[in-house]
Every structure is written in structure tokens, then in C-alpha cells.
Amino acid sequence: MSIATVEGLGRRRGAAVLVEVLRSEGVRYIFGNPGTTELPLIDALTDAADIAYVLALQEASAVAMADGYAQAARRPGFLNLHTAGGLGHGFGNLLNAQIAGTPLVVTAGQQDSRHAITDPLLFGDLVTIAAPTVKWAREVTHADQLPILLRRAFHDSSAAPSGPVFLSLPMDVMEEMTDASPGEISTIDRCAVAGSLDRLADHLAGLTPGRLAIIAGDEIEASDASAEAVRLADALAAPVYGSSWPAHIPFPTAHPLWAGNLPTKATEIAEILGAYDAVFALGGKSLITVLYTEGPAVPAGTQVFQLSADVRDLGRTYSTALSMVGDIRASLRALQPLLEARIADGAETYAALRARAVTRYEERRTRLSAAADAAFADPVIQPLVAAREIARAVGADTAIVDEAPATLGHLRTFLHSAWTRQYSSIRGGVLGWGMPASVGFSLGLDRAPVVCVVGDGAAMYSPQALWSAAHERLPVTFVVINNAEYNILKRFMRGQAHYASARANRYIAMDLVDPRIDFPALAASMGVPARRVERAAEIAPAVEAGIRSGVPNLVEIVVSPT
């Protein structure tokens, strides 16, 4: 007489079902930092050689790694945090992911629900805690629920508006035996074509050539619509501006119609947009402002047209002549023949505007290089020079992850690449994203080289990422821009004539000195080779060598303070 085994009956633990669902959803990496409540999942991974656990040494780093991976791989990242404390640690970067619209399936281990009534250590109301930073949050109460709720999480994280979702996983649910089927993955086509494209074509064709500006928002990247955006800009000979506070630059920075990113003050944005009769915004949230100034970013008399898959962003802040909801790539493909038929008679005019754009683009880059050349021999490296030399060393084919406020604006102006996925930055503004995100980006790009440019202040929010990069042997070059201060704060205070700090030239809690942080020593302590650069001529060779090395490395660039 044979005895039936649990395996033979098809029953297995909830944690095993979770792994089966992850495998079918194409998950390659789990990002996290485990504690006791996550051990059922860790145990279930023992025989899952096709799913790697990427260990972060702090939960905020784990969140940003998953975020970077999801953005680079263009698929949801899977994240496993440790109860209430770990979820709390991850909050800053969860806010970044929420604002950037990064699709994440966020999970956290929960105490065994059978003794929740006793208020055990590490217990918390995870659903309530997570709710402000995610699209929805729920606790799994039975192992049979795992397939449906996990599938729902993957689906909903990617649906517009994309973003994180959260599941709480109690230990007893993960240990519970179930015969629930993992189910099948669903195929969902979300590429809906916007309506009113014939009306839009009439509007755009009716504008005086040269009086339209296109705003290339982050949603172009999510929709994989860069080629369509280029075709649209070429057809209309329209200058293309990037978002004021972008996660990506989804338009080729080497294209002569690229006009750079918009500034972050409403008055300065309005000054630029006031030169046009209309703007066509591809994607939402392209006019984010940082500090308050009087007046709107879109001046009176400038018409606004919008296209976005997220209906919430349409007409939200500024009145629009026409807003349409639809997938950007699918909609632009449908728009193009309608538009081209309407503007065919103006071919010569548009060709002349395109030729003029080439001249302006080259003149702008010449002026930038001249400014950097003029400061190249300064005894202390200027941020402008550092940005030019980093861009020169990185070239056109290596991914950049940027969280360095002192050089961020300069670096964007020096980029010159046909690759529309080269540049990524911190959309949410919560520091500590860049270094761990670069680890995720390298994994999401199949372990390709990544250059992470990060400020000295931001670097200290998540230096644990150095260890993870070394542990995973990822070719990430961390470039630390060190001015030994919170530069962006000092610049703001100096601009406030009524501030006592500005008059006294004394800035409390803004200098990273006494002692000064030794970044090469910090990197070495985590197994990452490093060097310090104090001369402009050394920047490009150091960064180039770091990229060629194929291993994680750090280059500290000492730049002038404000």
C-alpha cells in the first residue's frame, strides 16, 4: 500500500504558489532585505534557480533597485520588504516610484495573523501604512487568494496610471497548504488610440509653421513612442522641449530639434512658451515647478493640446484647446498620415525651419563648449566643466542615472545621443534614489554598464548600494560630485534677500565638513575600487577607465562649492 505525499496531491505552501506565479509572470529578480516574516518566501526560493534574490542592505535601497530595474526592463519590479519597519524604511523611494509612475509589485511579510491580537513585535497595519504611496493595498488572508491577487497586482501596476501596488503576506498564509492553481498569465492590450485625431490634425496644420512647440514627457518612454515623437517633430519642424523635472529624456538629444529641458520655475517656463502660439504635450505632468513664482507656466494666448493615457492629467492645471486620452505610440501612428496630408503644401516652409534648427543647435553647443573651455583651467573644478567632461567620457551609448543637483542641469545640456533611453533621473525628488536605482538599471539592461552621477549629499542616503553592486558584480561606475555642501539649499537661500543667512553668509546644517566624507574609503570598505579626481583633465580618463573596467567602481570629483 502506497502512501500519498503532499506533493502527489498537488498541495503546496502558499510561498510555493507565489513563486510559481512570479515565474509565469517572467520575474527574474526579487529585491529585498529579509527578516523573520519573509523567511517562508526565502525558503521557497531554495529550488528556484531561475529567480534571483537581489540583497539590499536597507529597504530604501531595495525599493530604488526595484524601481530602476522596472524602468530599464519596462516590466513591473517585484519587491519584498520586512513588516512595518521595512515598509517605513522604504517610504521615501516608494514616493519616488509613485510620482514617477513606476510599476512595482510591493510585498511585505506580516506576522502570523493568529497572534496579531496580542500585538506581537514587528506587527503593524501594513495596508494602512502603505496606502498613501500605492495605487491600492491589501492583505492576503488565505493561500487560495494568492494567484488572483498577485495577477491583479501585476496587471494594475502597469495599467495607466502606472505605479506601485501593495500586498501584505502574513507568515501563516505563506505556510498554509493549498491546491490552488497558479492560473494563467493574461494578455492585455492597453494601446488604445485616442479619439478626435482628425480635429487635432486640423489644429496642428492650421498653426503658423514655427509657432508650435512639442513637450516630450516621460510617458513617451513608457509607451516606447520615441520614434513616433521624432516623426511628428520632423513633420512640423517643431522644437521639442523635455519636461521641467524629468525621469527620462525620451527624445534624441543629438536631434537638431531638441531644445533642452524646460526650467523649473513657472515664470521661466512661461517666458519660453510665450514664444509659441501653441504647445503639444505628449504625456502628463511635464510642467512640474519646484519653487513658487507668480503667474502660470502657460502664458495667456498659448493654446495647449495634450495626449496621455492617464485621463487624470488631461486639463488638470491648464485649460486646453483639445485633450485626448490614448496610448501615445498608437495614437501618434494614427495621427501621422492625417497630419501629413494636411501639411503637404507647406513642405518647403517646414524644410527651411528644419535647416534653421540645425544651425541653432550647433551654435548652442558651440557656446556651451566655449563656456566649459573658459573654466577648464580653474584651480577648482567648476560643475559646468565636470558635467561636460562626464558627458564626453560617457559618450552616446552608456546609460546614465543622475541624482547630482550641482551638475544635473549642465549634464543634460551636454548630452548628444541618438539613444532615447540613455538618461534617467529622480522624478520624485526624494534623495537616495540614484545609487541603488543604477544597480536596478544595470540588471534591467541585462547587466550593461551604467554611469551613476550622484551628489555627495544624496550619496549618503543610500551608500549601501555600493555593496549590492559589488556583490552582484555589476558594471556600475558611481561618479560622486563632491562640493561638501547641500548646494541646492544654499543657492535658494542666497536668492532670498530677506534671509539672515544670506546677509551673514552663514548656512546652518548645509556643510558636509569636519569631518569631510572620504568617498574612496567608503567605497573600498564595501569592495568597490575608487579614486579621487581634483583636476578637470583627469575626469574623462577616470570615468572612461571605470566604464571599461566592467566592475563596480567609484570616481569622486571634487568641485567648487557655491
Side-chain angles (χ1 to χ4, degrees):
M1 176 178 175
S2 63
I3 299 176
T5 64
V6 170
E7 290 79 7
L9 292 173
R11 293 175 62 79
R12 58 253 188 266
R13 293 186 301 158
V17 174
L18 186 149
V19 170
E20 290 176 29
V21 174
L22 297 188
R23 181 178 289 116
S24 69
E25 290 284 347
V27 172
R28 297 174 58 191
Y29 301 104
I30 295 176
F31 299 88
N33 179 269
T36 50
T37 52
E38 292 69 52
L39 294 184
L41 173 57
I42 296 297
D43 184 64
L45 292 173
T46 303
D47 298 321
D50 54 333
I51 300 177
Y53 189 97
V54 180
L55 176 59
L57 301 187
Q58 208 263 9
E59 285 90 347
S61 291
V63 175
M65 288 178 192
D67 185 334
Y69 171 80
Q71 291 192 40
R74 288 176 169 167
R75 60 183 309 115
F78 187 83
L79 176 64
N80 189 230
L81 303 176
H82 178 46
T83 63
L87 180 57
H89 284 158
F91 244 55
N93 276 324
L94 273 176
L95 284 170
N96 281 328
Q98 178 195 54
I99 294 168
T102 305
L104 294 180
V105 176
V106 184
T107 63
Q110 174 64 289
Q111 278 283 16
D112 190 309
S113 58
R114 292 168 296 185
H115 74 152
I117 196 171
T118 66
D119 299 323
L121 186 68
L122 304 176
F123 178 78
D125 185 351
L126 302 188
V127 170
T128 300
I129 295 171
T133 60
V134 296
K135 294 175 68 173
W136 55 256
R138 180 158 180 173
E139 184 162 281
V140 184
T141 59
H142 193 284
D144 290 352
Q145 299 174 349
L146 281 165
I148 292 177
L149 291 179
L150 284 165
R151 300 287 184 196
R152 186 178 300 169
F154 277 95
H155 297 166
D156 289 357
S157 68
S158 296
S162 57
V165 299
F166 177 79
L167 286 173
S168 170
L169 305 174
M171 289 187 76
D172 53 314
V173 171
M174 297 293 278
E175 294 284 11
E176 184 180 4
M177 302 304 295
T178 178
D179 55 8
S181 167
E184 300 287 338
I185 189 169
S186 298
T187 299
I188 303 174
D189 185 346
R190 299 187 177 93
C191 298
V193 175
S196 299
L197 292 180
D198 53 344
R199 292 175 57 199
L200 176 64
D202 287 338
H203 280 297
L204 297 181
L207 294 168
T208 302
R211 300 291 295 174
L212 170 73
I214 294 172
I215 302 177
D218 288 322
E219 202 175 319
I220 293 175
E221 162 67 16
S223 181
D224 194 18
S226 294
E228 288 72 21
V230 169
R231 185 179 173 189
L232 174 70
D234 279 334
L236 295 167
V240 178
Y241 293 90
S243 299
S244 57
W245 194 259
H248 303 282
I249 299 179
F251 195 87
T253 53
H255 195 290
L257 287 170
W258 173 244
N261 287 92
L262 291 166
T264 59
K265 290 183 179 179
T267 51
E268 295 174 359
I269 295 173
E271 185 177 354
I272 292 171
L273 299 187
Y276 303 98
D277 294 334
V279 295
F280 184 15
L282 299 174
K285 297 185 177 69
S286 294
L287 302 181
I288 294 174
T289 53
V290 178
L291 300 174
Y292 175 77
T293 55
E294 289 288 341
V298 178
T302 301
Q303 289 185 302
V304 176
F305 301 93
Q306 284 180 295
L307 173 61
S308 173
D310 184 358
V311 69
R312 302 176 311 165
D313 282 334
L314 300 178
R316 178 178 175 84
T317 304
Y318 304 101
S319 298
T320 62
L322 178 62
S323 293
M324 297 149 295
V325 59
D327 175 76
I328 291 181
R329 182 171 66 170
S331 299
L332 289 185
R333 286 182 173 179
L335 169 68
Q336 201 69 33
L338 301 175
L339 178 62
E340 289 174 352
R342 287 164 169 80
I343 63 174
D345 292 343
E348 291 186 7
T349 302
Y350 290 116
L353 287 171
R354 287 192 292 271
R356 204 175 308 159
V358 172
T359 301
R360 285 198 301 266
Y361 180 86
E362 292 174 349
E363 289 174 346
R364 187 168 71 246
R365 291 192 64 81
T366 299
R367 288 194 301 270
L368 282 168
S369 284
D373 288 341
F376 192 79
D378 287 0
V380 182
I381 300 168
Q382 297 297 317
L384 175 72
V385 175
R388 197 268 300 270
E389 294 302 291
I390 292 169
R392 188 165 69 87
V394 172
D397 302 317
T398 299
I400 298 170
V401 174
D402 193 0
E403 192 187 7
T407 56
L408 181 147
H410 298 308
L411 179 58
R412 291 173 186 165
T413 63
F414 282 111
L415 295 178
H416 185 73
S417 174
W419 185 27
T420 57
R421 301 188 65 200
Q422 179 179 36
Y423 181 86
S424 302
S425 191
I426 176 172
R427 184 68 184 269
V430 181
L431 294 183
W433 173 85
M435 293 180 78
S438 66
V439 172
F441 265 90
S442 182
L443 290 169
L445 296 172
D446 292 327
R447 296 180 173 267
V450 171
V451 172
C452 173
V453 188
V454 61
D456 52 338
M460 294 310 297
Y461 280 74
S462 51
Q464 305 91 341
L466 292 167
W467 184 91
S468 295
H471 183 69
E472 294 289 335
R473 296 175 175 81
L474 295 171
V476 179
T477 298
F478 298 94
V479 180
V480 178
I481 306 298
N482 190 353
N483 51 24
E485 65 179 14
Y486 291 137
N487 172 272
I488 196 169
L489 301 182
K490 280 191 179 181
R491 278 190 283 142
F492 171 76
M493 296 189 81
R494 285 200 172 109
Q496 311 305 306
H498 61 291
Y499 273 26
S501 298
R503 295 195 300 271
N505 196 33
R506 178 169 176 255
Y507 303 94
I508 298 170
M510 294 183 195
D511 293 294
L512 305 182
V513 294
D514 300 325
R516 189 166 176 138
I517 300 163
D518 187 340
F519 285 98
L522 177 64
S525 74
M526 299 194 198
V528 175
R531 62 177 293 185
R532 178 178 290 118
V533 170
E534 299 185 47
R535 294 176 58 247
E538 299 173 351
I539 296 173
V543 175
E544 289 168 352
I547 296 170
R548 285 197 307 270
S549 73
V551 298
N553 64 98
L554 183 143
V555 178
E556 177 192 14
I557 302 176
V558 179
V559 301
S560 63
T562 52

